[in-house]
């Protein structure tokens, strides 16, 4: 049987079912983190998960109508997300992908896509993405 090559990481890792598992794991950790949960006070867990599903789907290469860079900036900047909070969430996402046995090259690609959105998510930033390989402390 000929197996068709996946067009996106979303397809490669099983689409919606995998995305839902990822988001559940990420949301569970997010809500358990004392600092990070303050950013979603008052938001229903269902709304948070729906938002994260749209974001993770986008990060994994699937075009989504729900992702709009300007809307992301307008929604996130008033929250005052700090660079430290952003890095904590990135570390959680990375850990979830490692536990789900994503290939390391795919993890790097997903995190690079997220990092290109850094300036839309972190308050007061307009700088270029921080990502320069697996070591996030390096700057290009």
């Amino acid at each position: 049987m000929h197996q068709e090559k996946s067009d996106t990481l979303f397809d490669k890792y099983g689409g919606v079912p995998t995305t839902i598992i990822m988001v559940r794991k990420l949301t569970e950790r997010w809500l358990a983190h004392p600092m990070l949960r303050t950013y979603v006070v008052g938001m229903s867990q269902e709304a948070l998960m729906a938002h994260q599903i749209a974001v993770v789907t986008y990060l994994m290469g699937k075009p989504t109508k729900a992702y709009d860079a300007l809307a992301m900036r307008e929604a996130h900047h008033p929250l005052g997300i700090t660079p430290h909070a952003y890095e904590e969430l990135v570390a959680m996402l990375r850990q979830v992908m490692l536990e789900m046995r994503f290939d390391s090259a795919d993890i790097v690609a997903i995190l690079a896509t997220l990092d290109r959105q850094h300036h839309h998510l972190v308050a007061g930033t307009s700088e270029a993405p921080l990502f320069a390989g697996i070591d996030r402390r390096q700057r290009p």
Side-chain angles (χ1 to χ4, degrees), residues 26 29-30 33-40 76 79-93 114 118 121-123 130 136:
L26 182 61
R29 292 169 194 204
W30 186 341
H33 193 286
M35 175 187 51
L36 294 180
R37 73 173 168 237
T38 64
Y39 291 105
V40 294
H76 289 85
L79 297 174
I81 299 170
T82 66
H84 177 70
Y86 171 82
E87 291 297 328
E88 287 289 320
L89 186 59
V90 168
M92 283 181 187
L93 176 58
L114 176 59
H118 175 269
L121 305 172
V122 177
L130 300 173
R136 298 182 56 75

Short mmCIF file of all heavy atoms in Angstrom, two decimals, residues 26 29-30 33-40 76 79-93 114 118 121-123 130 136:
data_model
loop_
_atom_site.label_atom_id
_atom_site.label_comp_id
_atom_site.label_asym_id
_atom_site.label_seq_id
_atom_site.Cartn_x
_atom_site.Cartn_y
_atom_site.Cartn_z
N LEU A 26 -1.24 20.60 27.83
CA LEU A 26 -0.71 21.95 28.00
C LEU A 26 -1.60 22.78 28.92
O LEU A 26 -1.10 23.46 29.83
CB LEU A 26 -0.56 22.63 26.63
CG LEU A 26 0.04 24.03 26.64
CD1 LEU A 26 1.46 24.02 27.19
CD2 LEU A 26 0.03 24.60 25.23
N ARG A 29 -1.27 21.87 32.62
CA ARG A 29 -0.04 22.41 33.20
C ARG A 29 -0.13 23.92 33.38
O ARG A 29 0.33 24.48 34.37
CB ARG A 29 1.16 22.04 32.34
CG ARG A 29 1.43 20.56 32.39
CD ARG A 29 2.41 20.13 31.36
NE ARG A 29 2.35 18.68 31.28
CZ ARG A 29 3.33 17.94 30.85
NH1 ARG A 29 4.47 18.48 30.47
NH2 ARG A 29 3.19 16.63 30.81
N TRP A 30 -0.71 24.57 32.39
CA TRP A 30 -0.85 26.01 32.40
C TRP A 30 -1.68 26.43 33.62
O TRP A 30 -1.29 27.33 34.37
CB TRP A 30 -1.54 26.44 31.12
CG TRP A 30 -1.66 27.91 30.87
CD1 TRP A 30 -1.57 28.92 31.78
CD2 TRP A 30 -1.90 28.52 29.61
NE1 TRP A 30 -1.76 30.14 31.15
CE2 TRP A 30 -1.97 29.91 29.83
CE3 TRP A 30 -2.09 28.03 28.33
CZ2 TRP A 30 -2.21 30.82 28.79
CZ3 TRP A 30 -2.33 28.93 27.31
CH2 TRP A 30 -2.38 30.31 27.54
N HIS A 33 0.11 26.18 36.97
CA HIS A 33 1.27 27.05 37.17
C HIS A 33 0.80 28.37 37.81
O HIS A 33 -0.01 29.09 37.22
CB HIS A 33 1.94 27.33 35.83
CG HIS A 33 3.27 27.95 35.93
ND1 HIS A 33 3.45 29.28 36.27
CD2 HIS A 33 4.51 27.44 35.75
CE1 HIS A 33 4.73 29.57 36.27
NE2 HIS A 33 5.40 28.47 35.96
N PRO A 34 1.30 28.70 39.00
CA PRO A 34 0.83 29.89 39.71
C PRO A 34 0.91 31.19 38.91
O PRO A 34 -0.02 31.99 38.95
CB PRO A 34 1.73 29.97 40.94
CG PRO A 34 2.27 28.59 41.12
CD PRO A 34 2.33 27.98 39.75
N MET A 35 1.98 31.40 38.17
CA MET A 35 2.12 32.63 37.41
C MET A 35 1.28 32.60 36.14
O MET A 35 0.56 33.55 35.84
CB MET A 35 3.59 32.88 37.02
CG MET A 35 3.76 34.10 36.11
SD MET A 35 5.42 34.33 35.45
CE MET A 35 5.84 32.76 34.76
N LEU A 36 1.36 31.51 35.39
CA LEU A 36 0.69 31.46 34.10
C LEU A 36 -0.84 31.47 34.21
O LEU A 36 -1.52 32.03 33.36
CB LEU A 36 1.15 30.24 33.30
CG LEU A 36 2.61 30.26 32.87
CD1 LEU A 36 2.95 29.01 32.09
CD2 LEU A 36 2.94 31.51 32.07
N ARG A 37 -1.37 30.86 35.25
CA ARG A 37 -2.84 30.82 35.36
C ARG A 37 -3.43 32.21 35.57
O ARG A 37 -4.59 32.44 35.27
CB ARG A 37 -3.27 29.83 36.42
CG ARG A 37 -3.04 30.26 37.83
CD ARG A 37 -3.68 29.26 38.80
NE ARG A 37 -3.21 29.52 40.14
CZ ARG A 37 -2.61 28.64 40.90
NH1 ARG A 37 -2.42 27.41 40.47
NH2 ARG A 37 -2.20 28.96 42.09
N THR A 38 -2.63 33.16 36.06
CA THR A 38 -3.15 34.51 36.26
C THR A 38 -3.54 35.18 34.94
O THR A 38 -4.36 36.09 34.93
CB THR A 38 -2.14 35.41 37.01
OG1 THR A 38 -0.97 35.59 36.20
CG2 THR A 38 -1.78 34.82 38.36
N TYR A 39 -2.95 34.74 33.83
CA TYR A 39 -3.26 35.33 32.53
C TYR A 39 -4.62 34.89 31.99
O TYR A 39 -5.12 35.49 31.05
CB TYR A 39 -2.16 34.98 31.51
CG TYR A 39 -0.85 35.66 31.81
CD1 TYR A 39 0.21 34.95 32.34
CD2 TYR A 39 -0.69 37.02 31.57
CE1 TYR A 39 1.42 35.58 32.62
CE2 TYR A 39 0.51 37.65 31.86
CZ TYR A 39 1.55 36.93 32.38
OH TYR A 39 2.75 37.55 32.66
N VAL A 40 -5.19 33.85 32.56
CA VAL A 40 -6.46 33.33 32.04
C VAL A 40 -7.58 33.35 33.09
O VAL A 40 -8.59 32.70 32.92
CB VAL A 40 -6.30 31.92 31.45
CG1 VAL A 40 -5.42 31.97 30.20
CG2 VAL A 40 -5.74 30.95 32.45
N HIS A 76 -3.58 39.83 23.20
CA HIS A 76 -2.54 39.43 24.15
C HIS A 76 -1.80 40.59 24.81
O HIS A 76 -1.44 40.49 25.98
CB HIS A 76 -1.55 38.48 23.48
CG HIS A 76 -2.14 37.14 23.21
ND1 HIS A 76 -2.87 36.88 22.08
CD2 HIS A 76 -2.14 36.00 23.94
CE1 HIS A 76 -3.29 35.62 22.12
NE2 HIS A 76 -2.86 35.08 23.23
N LEU A 79 -2.88 41.86 28.20
CA LEU A 79 -2.68 40.92 29.30
C LEU A 79 -1.34 41.14 30.01
O LEU A 79 -1.13 40.64 31.12
CB LEU A 79 -2.74 39.47 28.79
CG LEU A 79 -4.08 39.03 28.19
CD1 LEU A 79 -3.95 37.63 27.60
CD2 LEU A 79 -5.19 39.10 29.22
N GLY A 80 -0.44 41.85 29.35
CA GLY A 80 0.86 42.13 29.96
C GLY A 80 1.74 40.89 30.08
O GLY A 80 2.49 40.75 31.04
N ILE A 81 1.66 40.02 29.11
CA ILE A 81 2.47 38.79 29.14
C ILE A 81 3.95 39.17 29.11
O ILE A 81 4.40 39.89 28.22
CB ILE A 81 2.11 37.86 27.97
CG1 ILE A 81 0.64 37.45 28.07
CG2 ILE A 81 3.03 36.65 27.92
CD1 ILE A 81 0.10 36.73 26.84
N THR A 82 4.67 38.68 30.08
CA THR A 82 6.10 39.00 30.19
C THR A 82 6.93 38.00 29.37
O THR A 82 6.46 36.89 29.08
CB THR A 82 6.56 38.92 31.66
OG1 THR A 82 6.45 37.56 32.10
CG2 THR A 82 5.75 39.84 32.55
N PRO A 83 8.15 38.38 29.05
CA PRO A 83 9.03 37.42 28.36
C PRO A 83 9.22 36.14 29.19
O PRO A 83 9.25 35.05 28.63
CB PRO A 83 10.35 38.18 28.22
CG PRO A 83 9.94 39.62 28.16
CD PRO A 83 8.77 39.71 29.12
N HIS A 84 9.29 36.27 30.50
CA HIS A 84 9.45 35.10 31.37
C HIS A 84 8.23 34.17 31.27
O HIS A 84 8.38 32.95 31.15
CB HIS A 84 9.68 35.53 32.81
CG HIS A 84 9.79 34.38 33.77
ND1 HIS A 84 10.86 33.52 33.77
CD2 HIS A 84 8.93 33.93 34.71
CE1 HIS A 84 10.67 32.59 34.70
NE2 HIS A 84 9.51 32.83 35.28
N ALA A 85 7.05 34.74 31.29
CA ALA A 85 5.82 33.93 31.18
C ALA A 85 5.78 33.23 29.83
O ALA A 85 5.43 32.05 29.73
CB ALA A 85 4.59 34.80 31.39
N TYR A 86 6.15 33.95 28.78
CA TYR A 86 6.19 33.38 27.44
C TYR A 86 7.14 32.18 27.41
O TYR A 86 6.80 31.11 26.91
CB TYR A 86 6.63 34.46 26.44
CG TYR A 86 6.92 33.94 25.05
CD1 TYR A 86 5.89 33.72 24.14
CD2 TYR A 86 8.23 33.69 24.64
CE1 TYR A 86 6.17 33.26 22.86
CE2 TYR A 86 8.50 33.23 23.37
CZ TYR A 86 7.47 33.02 22.48
OH TYR A 86 7.74 32.55 21.22
N GLU A 87 8.33 32.35 27.96
CA GLU A 87 9.32 31.28 27.98
C GLU A 87 8.84 30.07 28.79
O GLU A 87 9.10 28.93 28.43
CB GLU A 87 10.67 31.78 28.49
CG GLU A 87 11.36 32.73 27.54
CD GLU A 87 11.72 32.11 26.21
OE1 GLU A 87 12.01 30.89 26.15
OE2 GLU A 87 11.72 32.83 25.21
N GLU A 88 8.13 30.32 29.88
CA GLU A 88 7.56 29.22 30.68
C GLU A 88 6.58 28.42 29.85
O GLU A 88 6.58 27.18 29.89
CB GLU A 88 6.88 29.77 31.94
CG GLU A 88 7.83 30.28 32.99
CD GLU A 88 8.59 29.17 33.70
OE1 GLU A 88 8.01 28.12 34.00
OE2 GLU A 88 9.79 29.38 33.95
N LEU A 89 5.71 29.11 29.13
CA LEU A 89 4.73 28.42 28.30
C LEU A 89 5.41 27.65 27.17
O LEU A 89 5.03 26.51 26.87
CB LEU A 89 3.70 29.40 27.75
CG LEU A 89 2.54 28.76 26.99
CD1 LEU A 89 1.77 27.79 27.87
CD2 LEU A 89 1.62 29.83 26.45
N VAL A 90 6.42 28.25 26.56
CA VAL A 90 7.17 27.56 25.50
C VAL A 90 7.80 26.29 26.06
O VAL A 90 7.76 25.23 25.42
CB VAL A 90 8.24 28.50 24.88
CG1 VAL A 90 9.20 27.72 23.99
CG2 VAL A 90 7.57 29.62 24.10
N ALA A 91 8.38 26.38 27.25
CA ALA A 91 8.99 25.20 27.88
C ALA A 91 7.95 24.11 28.13
O ALA A 91 8.22 22.92 27.93
CB ALA A 91 9.69 25.60 29.18
N MET A 92 6.75 24.52 28.56
CA MET A 92 5.68 23.53 28.78
C MET A 92 5.28 22.86 27.48
O MET A 92 5.10 21.64 27.43
CB MET A 92 4.44 24.21 29.38
CG MET A 92 4.55 24.52 30.82
SD MET A 92 2.99 25.28 31.36
CE MET A 92 3.47 25.73 33.00
N LEU A 93 5.12 23.65 26.43
CA LEU A 93 4.74 23.10 25.13
C LEU A 93 5.83 22.13 24.65
O LEU A 93 5.52 21.04 24.17
CB LEU A 93 4.53 24.22 24.12
CG LEU A 93 4.23 23.79 22.69
CD1 LEU A 93 2.98 22.92 22.61
CD2 LEU A 93 4.09 25.02 21.79
N LEU A 114 6.15 29.39 16.53
CA LEU A 114 5.64 30.13 17.68
C LEU A 114 6.48 31.37 17.94
O LEU A 114 5.95 32.46 18.17
CB LEU A 114 5.60 29.24 18.92
CG LEU A 114 5.18 29.92 20.23
CD1 LEU A 114 3.78 30.53 20.11
CD2 LEU A 114 5.25 28.94 21.38
N HIS A 118 6.18 35.86 18.65
CA HIS A 118 6.57 36.41 19.95
C HIS A 118 6.11 37.85 20.14
O HIS A 118 5.54 38.20 21.16
CB HIS A 118 8.10 36.29 20.08
CG HIS A 118 8.67 36.90 21.30
ND1 HIS A 118 9.10 38.21 21.33
CD2 HIS A 118 8.90 36.39 22.52
CE1 HIS A 118 9.56 38.47 22.53
NE2 HIS A 118 9.45 37.39 23.28
N LEU A 121 2.54 38.36 21.04
CA LEU A 121 2.09 37.76 22.30
C LEU A 121 2.62 38.45 23.54
O LEU A 121 1.91 38.58 24.53
CB LEU A 121 2.48 36.28 22.33
CG LEU A 121 1.99 35.45 21.13
CD1 LEU A 121 2.61 34.07 21.17
CD2 LEU A 121 0.49 35.38 21.09
N VAL A 122 3.87 38.86 23.50
CA VAL A 122 4.52 39.44 24.68
C VAL A 122 4.34 40.95 24.66
O VAL A 122 4.62 41.61 23.67
CB VAL A 122 6.02 39.06 24.72
CG1 VAL A 122 6.71 39.71 25.90
CG2 VAL A 122 6.17 37.54 24.78
N ALA A 123 3.86 41.48 25.78
CA ALA A 123 3.56 42.91 25.88
C ALA A 123 4.79 43.76 25.66
O ALA A 123 5.86 43.46 26.18
CB ALA A 123 2.96 43.21 27.25
N LEU A 130 13.23 35.46 18.99
CA LEU A 130 14.39 35.07 19.79
C LEU A 130 15.00 33.76 19.32
O LEU A 130 16.14 33.46 19.63
CB LEU A 130 13.97 34.90 21.25
CG LEU A 130 13.39 36.12 21.94
CD1 LEU A 130 12.88 35.71 23.32
CD2 LEU A 130 14.44 37.19 22.07
N ARG A 136 17.42 28.51 23.31
CA ARG A 136 16.64 29.73 23.15
C ARG A 136 17.35 30.95 23.70
O ARG A 136 16.87 32.06 23.53
CB ARG A 136 15.27 29.54 23.80
CG ARG A 136 14.50 28.42 23.14
CD ARG A 136 13.14 28.27 23.73
NE ARG A 136 12.38 29.49 23.68
CZ ARG A 136 11.82 30.00 22.57
NH1 ARG A 136 11.93 29.40 21.43
NH2 ARG A 136 11.12 31.11 22.63
#
